[in-house]
Amino acid sequence: MGRRSLRKIDPSLDLSLHLLSVESLPQPWDAGALFNRPAPLEVEVGSGKGLFMLRAAQQFPEHNFLGIEIAHKYARFAAARLAKHEIANAAMVQGDAQRVFREVLPDESLAAVHVYFPDPWWKKRHHKRRIMNDAFLGQVQRVLLPDGRLHFWTDVGDYFEESLARIAVVTSLAGPFPVDAAPAEHTLDYRTHFERRMRLANLPVYRSEFRKELTGPNGHA
C-alpha cells in the first residue's frame, strides 16, 4: 500500500523547534540542547506522518523523541503535528537516518531505536537500499545504551525474517522478543498510521523487540 496524500499544514504554525536538518544537529552531540533538558532519548527511523512520534511523546513525557524522515513533505507534516499539539519533548529531522547514525550519534546514547514499516524495496536489485542492512544494524548496536531496545515492525514476512537473521549475525542484541498487538480503543490508537491500515484491513503485522545486554565498549564484553 502506498502513502496517502497529506492534509494541508497550517501556515501560521512555527516549525522552528520541531523541524530540523542534519546539519543543524549539535556537534559534538548534546541531546539535552535539543530539548532544553536531559532525558532518555528514543529515535524513530522513517517517521512518515508522525503518529508514533506524537503518541509516544505524549505517553512518555519523561523521555525525549527524535524522528528522522528522509522525505521533506512527510518530515514537515510530522513536525507540524508536533507543533500543533505543543509537544516539547519531540522533534523531527529531515534527512538520511543512516547518515545521522553514522556521523552524529555517539556510542551508547539512545534508550531505544524504532523502525516501523520501512520501505521494503520490493525488487531484488533494490534490496541493498533497505534500512535493515548490516551497516545500519551495526550502528544500532553501537548507539544503544545497555538495556536499550530496538523495535522493528513490518508487514512484509520475508523482510521480517531476513532482518531477524541479519540482526542475529551482525549484533549481539538479545531477542527477538514477541510483541503482542495492543487493542485499539479509538481510530488513531495504533503505533503508526501504517499499522492502523494493516489491522483495519485484517492484514498481518510482524513485530519484534531486541535488547542490548552487554555493557562493554560498543556492546562487546
Side-chain angles (χ1 to χ4, degrees):
M1 292 185 182
R3 288 172 165 176
R4 296 179 180 177
S5 60
L6 299 175
R7 298 188 304 274
K8 291 184 178 180
I9 295 173
D10 181 352
S12 68
L13 284 174
D14 179 5
L15 304 185
S16 61
L17 297 178
H18 294 95
L19 183 58
L20 312 172
S21 66
V22 177
E23 291 73 20
S24 70
L25 295 174
Q27 294 198 42
W29 179 248
D30 183 358
L34 287 176
F35 303 99
N36 295 313
R37 65 165 194 174
L41 179 63
E42 304 190 27
V43 168
E44 183 190 20
V45 175
S47 298
K49 296 179 182 179
L51 180 60
F52 169 77
M53 289 290 293
L54 176 63
R55 293 185 67 249
Q58 291 174 327
Q59 187 176 359
F60 301 102
E62 71 279 10
H63 280 210
N64 293 331
F65 292 86
L66 191 66
I68 308 173
E69 173 57 52
I70 197 166
H72 183 268
K73 66 178 181 179
Y74 283 96
R76 188 169 179 270
F77 184 90
R81 196 171 209 161
L82 298 174
K84 178 181 178 180
H85 289 85
E86 300 181 345
I87 302 297
N89 63 322
M92 290 297 307
V93 176
Q94 190 275 309
D96 183 355
Q98 299 197 72
R99 179 186 173 194
V100 174
F101 274 70
R102 184 176 63 249
E103 299 180 8
V104 179
L105 298 175
D107 295 357
E108 298 189 348
S109 56
L110 302 185
V113 175
H114 302 264
V115 184
Y116 300 123
F117 305 97
D119 192 330
W121 291 102
W122 291 104
K123 295 181 180 180
K124 185 72 174 179
R125 66 177 183 273
H126 292 160
H127 283 189
K128 61 184 178 181
R129 300 184 182 182
R130 289 176 169 179
I131 186 65
M132 300 296 280
N133 59 63
D134 288 7
F136 175 73
L137 293 173
Q139 292 296 330
V140 171
Q141 168 84 36
R142 180 183 64 80
V143 302
L144 280 177
L145 286 158
D147 203 40
R149 310 300 171 102
L150 167 63
H151 304 267
F152 169 56
W153 297 13
T154 178
D155 61 312
V156 183
D158 290 347
Y159 190 7
F160 185 72
E161 296 300 332
E162 291 171 10
S163 297
L164 265 56
R166 296 316 304 165
I167 291 170
V169 170
V170 176
T171 80
S172 60
L173 300 177
F177 302 107
V179 180
D180 295 330
E185 297 182 2
H186 53 79
T187 187
L188 288 180
D189 192 18
Y190 299 90
R191 190 158 295 197
T192 74
H193 282 282
F194 214 99
E195 185 202 7
R196 175 179 181 270
R197 291 172 62 188
M198 294 300 101
R199 290 178 61 181
L200 292 179
N202 292 316
L203 295 173
V205 173
Y206 306 93
R207 304 171 177 84
S208 64
E209 178 182 318
F210 293 82
R211 181 176 67 247
K212 183 174 179 178
E213 291 189 322
L214 302 181
T215 58
N218 296 318
H220 298 291

